[in-house]
Amino acid sequence: METDCTRDEIPANAGVITPLPTGTRLLHIGPHKTGTTSIQGALFEAKDEMARHGVAWPATTRHPMEAVLAACARTGMMGDTPPTERHWERLLEQVRATGRRTSVISSEFFADAPDGEAIERIVEQLGGERVHVLVTLRPLARIMPSQWQQYVQNGLRMGYDDWLRHMLKKPPYDKPNPSFWHRHRHDRLVERWARVVGPERVTVVVVDDRDREGLMRTFEALLRLPAHLLRPVPDAANRSLTLAETEMLRNLNKEFRANELPEELYSQLVRNGAVMHMKNTCIPGPGDVKISTPQWAVEAAAAIGAEIAERIGGSGVRILGDMRLLSAVQLSATQKSAPPATAEPRIAPEAAAQALYGALAAAAAAPVRHTAAAKSRTVHQTSSKELVRVLGHRCLKRLRLR
């Protein structure tokens, strides 16, 4: 089904967009993997220049994640310190300090708001009728590999093909990651927020991956900012993992769980140590295999995308961009050049070394305040599983002494 843009507006990358009223509090709710990190980086980098044009960025960081997690009653990433209500209260104070100026707040974790009651509270506290909700969308087939490797970075042990079958073929489609469809059944996401603010205060932007800066131009137009004020900000830490890197981490996750290591250790040494250092120091080359989605899953995702486009098209919200992109079925260049299914992904020695170094550096950053008492058994008399568990608890104890 072809879905035209509502009112007389045309796609964001092809014409004039009606700006939002001055004094609007633009709330960008993501969801995940729809260009959120790039737009947050650009907005934060340009916050001083935006202020000179009457647009405030209330947050003190690129992404006020802890505040939004608290507002949505989410615990955050595995092993991280849980956010508190005070994080959210501080963001609200900063929003109120913007007065009558136009302001913009962006976090994909707003998409995790559990129900209408939570959404009502968030909207009311952020300014009620001044709030305008912006939702960015990409085709599900492009979102799924990125979300799978992100879940692996948070401890997931399931392989990609098996994960796809659970998400697309095994009702009720909520295992192992119930958050996926809560975020990415985009028609329901739009409906949840439109019920609270009204469809006239919801804008849906379909991101066209062929126009790398199109989303920035859309934000500029909506916020009455000069063209090209927002610029991409390089962020190696946000790059997706290759297939081999993800498989290495997934197998590490299996060992981590099997040995019952503390989750805080995973946060410190694995996600923020090994993985972060590997991302920052290793740039994937042309020989590195990306995560490839099988054609059956691409087609299944496109069929769901068509349903999403139809329901959003009839919801009365403003639509910028081409909704047909959500149901397009294309075999990507990555898939066409993907190795046979029997091929084993091989991680580059440099990437493995940098990951190991990142974990060691994170552990070494914790000063050793005391030495544990000698045990009655020698190392050779202790099982490898118990050794790993003891080492994990000792590392965690040292990290807590920082």
PDB file of all heavy atoms in Angstrom, residues 30-61:
ATOM      1  N   GLY A  30      13.081   8.162  19.573  1.00  0.00           N
ATOM      2  CA  GLY A  30      13.702   7.050  18.855  1.00  0.00           C
ATOM      3  C   GLY A  30      12.697   6.438  17.906  1.00  0.00           C
ATOM      4  O   GLY A  30      11.978   7.150  17.213  1.00  0.00           O
ATOM      5  N   PRO A  31      12.607   5.089  17.877  1.00  0.00           N
ATOM      6  CA  PRO A  31      13.239   4.119  18.776  1.00  0.00           C
ATOM      7  C   PRO A  31      14.693   3.811  18.399  1.00  0.00           C
ATOM      8  O   PRO A  31      15.278   4.495  17.558  1.00  0.00           O
ATOM      9  CB  PRO A  31      12.357   2.873  18.593  1.00  0.00           C
ATOM     10  CG  PRO A  31      11.886   2.976  17.180  1.00  0.00           C
ATOM     11  CD  PRO A  31      11.684   4.432  16.928  1.00  0.00           C
ATOM     12  N   HIS A  32      15.236   2.771  19.022  1.00  0.00           N
ATOM     13  CA  HIS A  32      16.623   2.376  18.828  1.00  0.00           C
ATOM     14  C   HIS A  32      16.920   2.074  17.367  1.00  0.00           C
ATOM     15  O   HIS A  32      16.077   1.585  16.625  1.00  0.00           O
ATOM     16  CB  HIS A  32      16.935   1.131  19.658  1.00  0.00           C
ATOM     17  CG  HIS A  32      16.829   1.334  21.135  1.00  0.00           C
ATOM     18  ND1 HIS A  32      15.639   1.611  21.768  1.00  0.00           N
ATOM     19  CD2 HIS A  32      17.773   1.294  22.115  1.00  0.00           C
ATOM     20  CE1 HIS A  32      15.844   1.740  23.070  1.00  0.00           C
ATOM     21  NE2 HIS A  32      17.127   1.558  23.302  1.00  0.00           N
ATOM     22  N   LYS A  33      18.169   2.365  16.979  1.00  0.00           N
ATOM     23  CA  LYS A  33      18.712   2.010  15.672  1.00  0.00           C
ATOM     24  C   LYS A  33      18.016   2.730  14.523  1.00  0.00           C
ATOM     25  O   LYS A  33      17.882   2.203  13.429  1.00  0.00           O
ATOM     26  CB  LYS A  33      18.660   0.486  15.454  1.00  0.00           C
ATOM     27  CG  LYS A  33      19.341  -0.314  16.557  1.00  0.00           C
ATOM     28  CD  LYS A  33      20.794   0.113  16.728  1.00  0.00           C
ATOM     29  CE  LYS A  33      21.486  -0.617  17.867  1.00  0.00           C
ATOM     30  NZ  LYS A  33      22.870  -0.148  18.089  1.00  0.00           N
ATOM     31  N   THR A  34      17.576   3.966  14.771  1.00  0.00           N
ATOM     32  CA  THR A  34      16.948   4.763  13.720  1.00  0.00           C
ATOM     33  C   THR A  34      17.663   6.102  13.545  1.00  0.00           C
ATOM     34  O   THR A  34      17.033   7.107  13.199  1.00  0.00           O
ATOM     35  CB  THR A  34      15.461   5.004  14.042  1.00  0.00           C
ATOM     36  OG1 THR A  34      15.344   5.697  15.297  1.00  0.00           O
ATOM     37  CG2 THR A  34      14.683   3.690  14.109  1.00  0.00           C
ATOM     38  N   GLY A  35      18.970   6.127  13.787  1.00  0.00           N
ATOM     39  CA  GLY A  35      19.746   7.348  13.649  1.00  0.00           C
ATOM     40  C   GLY A  35      19.813   8.178  14.907  1.00  0.00           C
ATOM     41  O   GLY A  35      20.240   9.342  14.869  1.00  0.00           O
ATOM     42  N   THR A  36      19.438   7.582  16.048  1.00  0.00           N
ATOM     43  CA  THR A  36      19.369   8.356  17.293  1.00  0.00           C
ATOM     44  C   THR A  36      20.745   8.858  17.746  1.00  0.00           C
ATOM     45  O   THR A  36      20.892  10.018  18.118  1.00  0.00           O
ATOM     46  CB  THR A  36      18.736   7.512  18.411  1.00  0.00           C
ATOM     47  OG1 THR A  36      19.409   6.259  18.503  1.00  0.00           O
ATOM     48  CG2 THR A  36      17.265   7.265  18.124  1.00  0.00           C
ATOM     49  N   THR A  37      21.738   7.997  17.710  1.00  0.00           N
ATOM     50  CA  THR A  37      23.055   8.407  18.208  1.00  0.00           C
ATOM     51  C   THR A  37      23.647   9.519  17.354  1.00  0.00           C
ATOM     52  O   THR A  37      24.231  10.473  17.877  1.00  0.00           O
ATOM     53  CB  THR A  37      24.009   7.208  18.249  1.00  0.00           C
ATOM     54  OG1 THR A  37      23.477   6.210  19.131  1.00  0.00           O
ATOM     55  CG2 THR A  37      25.384   7.611  18.760  1.00  0.00           C
ATOM     56  N   SER A  38      23.483   9.430  16.041  1.00  0.00           N
ATOM     57  CA  SER A  38      24.062  10.457  15.171  1.00  0.00           C
ATOM     58  C   SER A  38      23.377  11.802  15.370  1.00  0.00           C
ATOM     59  O   SER A  38      24.049  12.847  15.424  1.00  0.00           O
ATOM     60  CB  SER A  38      23.975  10.022  13.705  1.00  0.00           C
ATOM     61  OG  SER A  38      22.624   9.864  13.309  1.00  0.00           O
ATOM     62  N   ILE A  39      22.046  11.806  15.526  1.00  0.00           N
ATOM     63  CA  ILE A  39      21.366  13.091  15.715  1.00  0.00           C
ATOM     64  C   ILE A  39      21.646  13.653  17.096  1.00  0.00           C
ATOM     65  O   ILE A  39      21.800  14.868  17.274  1.00  0.00           O
ATOM     66  CB  ILE A  39      19.841  12.959  15.450  1.00  0.00           C
ATOM     67  CG1 ILE A  39      19.209  14.344  15.294  1.00  0.00           C
ATOM     68  CG2 ILE A  39      19.139  12.190  16.561  1.00  0.00           C
ATOM     69  CD1 ILE A  39      19.698  15.124  14.101  1.00  0.00           C
ATOM     70  N   GLN A  40      21.766  12.796  18.099  1.00  0.00           N
ATOM     71  CA  GLN A  40      22.114  13.270  19.440  1.00  0.00           C
ATOM     72  C   GLN A  40      23.507  13.892  19.445  1.00  0.00           C
ATOM     73  O   GLN A  40      23.728  14.944  20.056  1.00  0.00           O
ATOM     74  CB  GLN A  40      22.034  12.118  20.443  1.00  0.00           C
ATOM     75  CG  GLN A  40      20.618  11.678  20.759  1.00  0.00           C
ATOM     76  CD  GLN A  40      20.533  10.260  21.285  1.00  0.00           C
ATOM     77  OE1 GLN A  40      21.552   9.602  21.508  1.00  0.00           O
ATOM     78  NE2 GLN A  40      19.316   9.770  21.468  1.00  0.00           N
ATOM     79  N   GLY A  41      24.454  13.258  18.769  1.00  0.00           N
ATOM     80  CA  GLY A  41      25.803  13.813  18.688  1.00  0.00           C
ATOM     81  C   GLY A  41      25.824  15.159  17.997  1.00  0.00           C
ATOM     82  O   GLY A  41      26.504  16.097  18.436  1.00  0.00           O
ATOM     83  N   ALA A  42      25.055  15.279  16.911  1.00  0.00           N
ATOM     84  CA  ALA A  42      25.020  16.536  16.170  1.00  0.00           C
ATOM     85  C   ALA A  42      24.364  17.647  16.978  1.00  0.00           C
ATOM     86  O   ALA A  42      24.833  18.794  16.998  1.00  0.00           O
ATOM     87  CB  ALA A  42      24.281  16.327  14.849  1.00  0.00           C
ATOM     88  N   LEU A  43      23.259  17.329  17.659  1.00  0.00           N
ATOM     89  CA  LEU A  43      22.564  18.333  18.470  1.00  0.00           C
ATOM     90  C   LEU A  43      23.434  18.804  19.635  1.00  0.00           C
ATOM     91  O   LEU A  43      23.499  20.005  19.933  1.00  0.00           O
ATOM     92  CB  LEU A  43      21.249  17.760  18.993  1.00  0.00           C
ATOM     93  CG  LEU A  43      20.138  17.541  17.963  1.00  0.00           C
ATOM     94  CD1 LEU A  43      19.037  16.650  18.552  1.00  0.00           C
ATOM     95  CD2 LEU A  43      19.549  18.872  17.496  1.00  0.00           C
ATOM     96  N   PHE A  44      24.095  17.858  20.281  1.00  0.00           N
ATOM     97  CA  PHE A  44      24.927  18.226  21.431  1.00  0.00           C
ATOM     98  C   PHE A  44      26.121  19.071  20.986  1.00  0.00           C
ATOM     99  O   PHE A  44      26.483  20.051  21.650  1.00  0.00           O
ATOM    100  CB  PHE A  44      25.400  16.966  22.140  1.00  0.00           C
ATOM    101  CG  PHE A  44      26.183  17.233  23.395  1.00  0.00           C
ATOM    102  CD1 PHE A  44      25.572  17.767  24.511  1.00  0.00           C
ATOM    103  CD2 PHE A  44      27.538  16.946  23.459  1.00  0.00           C
ATOM    104  CE1 PHE A  44      26.287  18.026  25.679  1.00  0.00           C
ATOM    105  CE2 PHE A  44      28.270  17.194  24.610  1.00  0.00           C
ATOM    106  CZ  PHE A  44      27.643  17.739  25.722  1.00  0.00           C
ATOM    107  N   GLU A  45      26.715  18.714  19.868  1.00  0.00           N
ATOM    108  CA  GLU A  45      27.875  19.453  19.360  1.00  0.00           C
ATOM    109  C   GLU A  45      27.485  20.886  18.991  1.00  0.00           C
ATOM    110  O   GLU A  45      28.275  21.823  19.148  1.00  0.00           O
ATOM    111  CB  GLU A  45      28.451  18.738  18.139  1.00  0.00           C
ATOM    112  CG  GLU A  45      29.712  19.344  17.576  1.00  0.00           C
ATOM    113  CD  GLU A  45      30.936  19.115  18.446  1.00  0.00           C
ATOM    114  OE1 GLU A  45      30.870  18.265  19.364  1.00  0.00           O
ATOM    115  OE2 GLU A  45      31.972  19.784  18.210  1.00  0.00           O
ATOM    116  N   ALA A  46      26.249  21.062  18.518  1.00  0.00           N
ATOM    117  CA  ALA A  46      25.808  22.379  18.050  1.00  0.00           C
ATOM    118  C   ALA A  46      24.979  23.134  19.084  1.00  0.00           C
ATOM    119  O   ALA A  46      24.360  24.144  18.752  1.00  0.00           O
ATOM    120  CB  ALA A  46      24.989  22.210  16.772  1.00  0.00           C
ATOM    121  N   LYS A  47      24.981  22.686  20.339  1.00  0.00           N
ATOM    122  CA  LYS A  47      24.056  23.260  21.334  1.00  0.00           C
ATOM    123  C   LYS A  47      24.276  24.755  21.550  1.00  0.00           C
ATOM    124  O   LYS A  47      23.310  25.512  21.733  1.00  0.00           O
ATOM    125  CB  LYS A  47      24.167  22.502  22.668  1.00  0.00           C
ATOM    126  CG  LYS A  47      25.500  22.566  23.367  1.00  0.00           C
ATOM    127  CD  LYS A  47      25.490  21.715  24.629  1.00  0.00           C
ATOM    128  CE  LYS A  47      26.778  21.870  25.422  1.00  0.00           C
ATOM    129  NZ  LYS A  47      27.988  21.492  24.640  1.00  0.00           N
ATOM    130  N   ASP A  48      25.528  25.221  21.528  1.00  0.00           N
ATOM    131  CA  ASP A  48      25.790  26.648  21.741  1.00  0.00           C
ATOM    132  C   ASP A  48      25.288  27.472  20.559  1.00  0.00           C
ATOM    133  O   ASP A  48      24.689  28.542  20.735  1.00  0.00           O
ATOM    134  CB  ASP A  48      27.279  26.888  21.959  1.00  0.00           C
ATOM    135  CG  ASP A  48      27.777  26.276  23.261  1.00  0.00           C
ATOM    136  OD1 ASP A  48      26.954  26.054  24.175  1.00  0.00           O
ATOM    137  OD2 ASP A  48      28.988  25.996  23.366  1.00  0.00           O
ATOM    138  N   GLU A  49      25.525  26.974  19.344  1.00  0.00           N
ATOM    139  CA  GLU A  49      25.050  27.681  18.156  1.00  0.00           C
ATOM    140  C   GLU A  49      23.527  27.646  18.093  1.00  0.00           C
ATOM    141  O   GLU A  49      22.885  28.636  17.709  1.00  0.00           O
ATOM    142  CB  GLU A  49      25.651  27.040  16.900  1.00  0.00           C
ATOM    143  CG  GLU A  49      25.362  27.795  15.623  1.00  0.00           C
ATOM    144  CD  GLU A  49      25.987  29.181  15.582  1.00  0.00           C
ATOM    145  OE1 GLU A  49      26.976  29.419  16.313  1.00  0.00           O
ATOM    146  OE2 GLU A  49      25.467  30.030  14.833  1.00  0.00           O
ATOM    147  N   MET A  50      22.915  26.510  18.469  1.00  0.00           N
ATOM    148  CA  MET A  50      21.447  26.439  18.491  1.00  0.00           C
ATOM    149  C   MET A  50      20.871  27.457  19.458  1.00  0.00           C
ATOM    150  O   MET A  50      19.833  28.076  19.179  1.00  0.00           O
ATOM    151  CB  MET A  50      20.994  25.021  18.889  1.00  0.00           C
ATOM    152  CG  MET A  50      21.240  23.957  17.844  1.00  0.00           C
ATOM    153  SD  MET A  50      20.299  22.425  18.141  1.00  0.00           S
ATOM    154  CE  MET A  50      20.699  22.042  19.847  1.00  0.00           C
ATOM    155  N   ALA A  51      21.523  27.621  20.596  1.00  0.00           N
ATOM    156  CA  ALA A  51      21.035  28.581  21.601  1.00  0.00           C
ATOM    157  C   ALA A  51      20.972  29.995  21.027  1.00  0.00           C
ATOM    158  O   ALA A  51      20.065  30.777  21.353  1.00  0.00           O
ATOM    159  CB  ALA A  51      21.918  28.544  22.839  1.00  0.00           C
ATOM    160  N   ARG A  52      21.916  30.324  20.140  1.00  0.00           N
ATOM    161  CA  ARG A  52      21.902  31.652  19.531  1.00  0.00           C
ATOM    162  C   ARG A  52      20.732  31.821  18.559  1.00  0.00           C
ATOM    163  O   ARG A  52      20.395  32.951  18.176  1.00  0.00           O
ATOM    164  CB  ARG A  52      23.234  31.896  18.810  1.00  0.00           C
ATOM    165  CG  ARG A  52      24.387  32.178  19.774  1.00  0.00           C
ATOM    166  CD  ARG A  52      25.625  32.655  19.058  1.00  0.00           C
ATOM    167  NE  ARG A  52      26.408  31.562  18.545  1.00  0.00           N
ATOM    168  CZ  ARG A  52      27.348  30.901  19.227  1.00  0.00           C
ATOM    169  NH1 ARG A  52      27.591  31.232  20.492  1.00  0.00           N
ATOM    170  NH2 ARG A  52      28.027  29.923  18.675  1.00  0.00           N
ATOM    171  N   HIS A  53      20.133  30.708  18.188  1.00  0.00           N
ATOM    172  CA  HIS A  53      18.959  30.760  17.319  1.00  0.00           C
ATOM    173  C   HIS A  53      17.681  30.422  18.085  1.00  0.00           C
ATOM    174  O   HIS A  53      16.658  30.097  17.478  1.00  0.00           O
ATOM    175  CB  HIS A  53      19.143  29.798  16.146  1.00  0.00           C
ATOM    176  CG  HIS A  53      20.234  30.210  15.206  1.00  0.00           C
ATOM    177  ND1 HIS A  53      20.046  31.128  14.196  1.00  0.00           N
ATOM    178  CD2 HIS A  53      21.545  29.838  15.142  1.00  0.00           C
ATOM    179  CE1 HIS A  53      21.184  31.296  13.539  1.00  0.00           C
ATOM    180  NE2 HIS A  53      22.103  30.536  14.090  1.00  0.00           N
ATOM    181  N   GLY A  54      17.743  30.463  19.419  1.00  0.00           N
ATOM    182  CA  GLY A  54      16.558  30.310  20.234  1.00  0.00           C
ATOM    183  C   GLY A  54      16.127  28.898  20.527  1.00  0.00           C
ATOM    184  O   GLY A  54      15.000  28.663  20.959  1.00  0.00           O
ATOM    185  N   VAL A  55      17.021  27.920  20.316  1.00  0.00           N
ATOM    186  CA  VAL A  55      16.693  26.513  20.570  1.00  0.00           C
ATOM    187  C   VAL A  55      17.630  25.973  21.646  1.00  0.00           C
ATOM    188  O   VAL A  55      18.858  26.032  21.502  1.00  0.00           O
ATOM    189  CB  VAL A  55      16.824  25.661  19.295  1.00  0.00           C
ATOM    190  CG1 VAL A  55      16.513  24.194  19.605  1.00  0.00           C
ATOM    191  CG2 VAL A  55      15.878  26.180  18.216  1.00  0.00           C
ATOM    192  N   ALA A  56      17.062  25.439  22.717  1.00  0.00           N
ATOM    193  CA  ALA A  56      17.852  24.954  23.856  1.00  0.00           C
ATOM    194  C   ALA A  56      17.995  23.440  23.811  1.00  0.00           C
ATOM    195  O   ALA A  56      17.074  22.718  23.403  1.00  0.00           O
ATOM    196  CB  ALA A  56      17.183  25.363  25.162  1.00  0.00           C
ATOM    197  N   TRP A  57      19.163  22.980  24.220  1.00  0.00           N
ATOM    198  CA  TRP A  57      19.423  21.549  24.476  1.00  0.00           C
ATOM    199  C   TRP A  57      19.578  21.431  25.986  1.00  0.00           C
ATOM    200  O   TRP A  57      20.626  21.703  26.551  1.00  0.00           O
ATOM    201  CB  TRP A  57      20.691  21.106  23.749  1.00  0.00           C
ATOM    202  CG  TRP A  57      21.113  19.693  24.044  1.00  0.00           C
ATOM    203  CD1 TRP A  57      22.054  19.290  24.955  1.00  0.00           C
ATOM    204  CD2 TRP A  57      20.614  18.486  23.439  1.00  0.00           C
ATOM    205  NE1 TRP A  57      22.175  17.919  24.961  1.00  0.00           N
ATOM    206  CE2 TRP A  57      21.298  17.398  24.036  1.00  0.00           C
ATOM    207  CE3 TRP A  57      19.653  18.217  22.476  1.00  0.00           C
ATOM    208  CZ2 TRP A  57      21.051  16.071  23.684  1.00  0.00           C
ATOM    209  CZ3 TRP A  57      19.411  16.901  22.117  1.00  0.00           C
ATOM    210  CH2 TRP A  57      20.107  15.849  22.719  1.00  0.00           C
ATOM    211  N   PRO A  58      18.530  21.021  26.712  1.00  0.00           N
ATOM    212  CA  PRO A  58      18.572  21.089  28.186  1.00  0.00           C
ATOM    213  C   PRO A  58      19.565  20.140  28.836  1.00  0.00           C
ATOM    214  O   PRO A  58      20.066  20.440  29.927  1.00  0.00           O
ATOM    215  CB  PRO A  58      17.137  20.725  28.587  1.00  0.00           C
ATOM    216  CG  PRO A  58      16.318  20.883  27.358  1.00  0.00           C
ATOM    217  CD  PRO A  58      17.225  20.592  26.214  1.00  0.00           C
ATOM    218  N   ALA A  59      19.826  19.014  28.230  1.00  0.00           N
ATOM    219  CA  ALA A  59      20.678  18.009  28.876  1.00  0.00           C
ATOM    220  C   ALA A  59      22.132  18.474  28.911  1.00  0.00           C
ATOM    221  O   ALA A  59      22.585  19.231  28.052  1.00  0.00           O
ATOM    222  CB  ALA A  59      20.571  16.681  28.133  1.00  0.00           C
ATOM    223  N   THR A  60      22.862  17.994  29.907  1.00  0.00           N
ATOM    224  CA  THR A  60      24.281  18.344  30.035  1.00  0.00           C
ATOM    225  C   THR A  60      25.185  17.339  29.324  1.00  0.00           C
ATOM    226  O   THR A  60      26.398  17.514  29.295  1.00  0.00           O
ATOM    227  CB  THR A  60      24.679  18.409  31.525  1.00  0.00           C
ATOM    228  OG1 THR A  60      24.348  17.160  32.142  1.00  0.00           O
ATOM    229  CG2 THR A  60      23.944  19.536  32.230  1.00  0.00           C
ATOM    230  N   THR A  61      24.599  16.284  28.765  1.00  0.00           N
ATOM    231  CA  THR A  61      25.357  15.264  28.047  1.00  0.00           C
ATOM    232  C   THR A  61      24.712  15.034  26.686  1.00  0.00           C
ATOM    233  O   THR A  61      23.616  15.532  26.396  1.00  0.00           O
ATOM    234  CB  THR A  61      25.371  13.929  28.819  1.00  0.00           C
ATOM    235  OG1 THR A  61      24.017  13.463  28.977  1.00  0.00           O
ATOM    236  CG2 THR A  61      26.015  14.085  30.184  1.00  0.00           C
TER     237      THR A  61
END
